[in-house]
Amino acid sequence: MYYGRLENPPKLFIPGPVKVNPDVLQQLARPTLGHRGKEYAQLHGETVDMLKKILFTNQNVFLSTSSASGIWEASIRNCVGFDETVLATCCGAFSDKWADVVKKCGRNVDELKVEWGKPTLPADIDKKLSTGKYAAVTIVYSETSTGLMNPVYEISDMIKKKYPDVLVFVDCVSAMVGLPMKFDELGWDVAFASVQKAFAIPPGLAVAAVSNRAMEKSKTVPGRGYYFDFQEFAKSAAKNQTPTTPAIPHIMALHYQCTRLLKEGMENVWARHGKMADFVRGWAKEKFDLFCEEKYASNTLTTVRNTRGINVSDVISAVQKKHNVAFGNGYGDLKEKTFRIAHMGDITIDEMKDLVGWINDEIG
Amino acid sequence: MYYGRLENPPKLFIPGPVKVNPDVLQQLARPTLGHRGKEYAQLHGETVDMLKKILFTNQNVFLSTSSASGIWEASIRNCVGFDETVLATCCGAFSDKWADVVKKCGRNVDELKVEWGKPTLPADIDKKLSTGKYAAVTIVYSETSTGLMNPVYEISDMIKKKYPDVLVFVDCVSAMVGLPMKFDELGWDVAFASVQKAFAIPPGLAVAAVSNRAMEKSKTVPGRGYYFDFQEFAKSAAKNQTPTTPAIPHIMALHYQCTRLLKEGMENVWARHGKMADFVRGWAKEKFDLFCEEKYASNTLTTVRNTRGINVSDVISAVQKKHNVAFGNGYGDLKEKTFRIAHMGDITIDEMKDLVGWINDEIG
């Protein structure tokens, strides 16, 4: 019964987890290692070295056996005192949730909300930060619930110039690898993603870049706990280890994917995502409309506004039935009003051409 | 270079991660799923249902994308108030570390220490609990650093009778599945393990049983955070989901292993571990000595006292070089004074016969 249904699940063009190629899946099936042995240390060290090149950082890169939501919590528990306040910029379901996590960690938070699908603009953040009230700001680079890409370059420039003491935490879940990101240049303090998005690996591991000043700050914050304590990560990283037993299958797959990414070159990887996005957006504009203003539409997923009043669920089901692929309905309140197509990682432009062709067949 | 060394890593008889069979490894390489789709809900639901039978519980079973150390922290953050005190029973490196985690979570802790290799006895716990000072007690069932098995049945009986209001948290990392454990009968509140021990799956997932009264308690504790919040787990479990994106490859492997375990029957699984342990202990007593008194020696790993003064590192290296298998040196201060052999999960008695034969060849 179970194997009947799951033997041949649909190829995933939902905005994560996304399709994983068979050669990558096989990396997960390699014999496992002792996590305190030299084979693991080599795997860990080489993976982190590659990630530093991929993220353009000379600072800290940690591998966390968790989803990226664990790093939402880690950024707060490590770098924000109980008497400090966070400015959470909210533009969709996941940036909203992060604000909620700040509260759940017992910290003060002010939410700077925009309408879903609209960007958070530097001037709005500037106005809030000018009060001098905030120790840190949370930003989502690419909001997976809406496909909105925030203008993180302009925001980062403004903060670097005017508020150099405010820590900057950036959720890069559906951005990392797919969208241009040079961690050190941007002056960010914590940036992170899960591997089931543009790294094109099944879920179960998160990658976090952490600045040296975030590490210093974390030394001063009490009650950090153990599992997500950046100080523990750093101590173990010095030995090419993790503090707790890591998800070795995923790290093998990550090593494999990092090798491929560096061979392609990050500028080329970003450009490839741009081309796929242009194609999908071109189709969306012709047949429907974009949910976000094109300037702020992410290159890793597209949210299409259902201007034709189609029954989105029916179309998703019909395409899945005929072609065994899945794309996403709108998120939460945007269900049926929008739908979402992922174009990141090892998804190809040819797969996108097939997919939109199949959607065209359904909508007539 | 990396593939040269890691292509054929040693078969693992260290006390975890342990050897994983090729058919189990292949479960990790199955196409991934959307974690909010019906295929995942089926996988999750069936896995949890099987785990409830395996752990003999009608209460809550959660799948945590973390190592078991994450549940050290979860038990404290969820079930212990900031003004409450935990009695941590300490008998080795991992029980010590758990006491440390209690402190790192900002809670009060008293440590009840015994010499490494000695059990924590009910009378000693009784004496401490009789002060009325403690809200919870932490116990390790099988202490992986020493191979010591605590008398958890006698301890649990005593606590149930005399201190029914004290919450009982049990680290079952190298115990779960290998040693008899009926969660509801024992009256425990949180019991957990990682999958890289007797479940014989690569690392990257933890399994936790949580009592209903622990769930009630957790509602009253502030600052639980998000990633390890039992309330979030329960809310999602009702939909056969996890709050955050789970390690789907590991859950596929866990489903596969649970199916096999139930087919064998838990009494048989425990007896099989007992037989393997008897064999290894028999050899250890003949050639060396046991580190722990036999009554308190775990059935999942054996710590051998190096009574012959062999160079343990050299023997481990020689056996690895000739036969491509790894067993463990003593932990921490016990290095060279002891060594450790795992006999759990899919390790067979024939593999144990080979291994001790190869050790015999080296020690003459």
Side-chain angles (χ1 to χ4, degrees), chain B residues 39-50:
Chain B
E39 294 90 352
Y40 177 76
Q42 189 188 347
L43 172 69
H44 185 104
E46 290 182 11
T47 304
V48 167
D49 285 349
M50 289 191 282

Side-chain angles (χ1 to χ4, degrees), chain B residues 302-343:
Chain B
T302 293
T303 300
V304 183
R305 191 186 294 278
N306 180 11
T307 50
R308 303 166 79 106
I310 64 167
N311 184 316
V312 172
S313 295
D314 285 354
V315 172
I316 291 173
S317 295
V319 171
Q320 178 163 346
K321 211 164 178 180
K322 288 180 194 162
H323 308 285
N324 201 31
V325 300
F327 64 100
N329 208 321
Y331 193 98
D333 288 346
L334 295 175
K335 205 170 167 172
E336 291 297 325
K337 293 179 196 151
T338 66
F339 58 91
R340 294 176 300 160
I341 296 173
H343 31 80

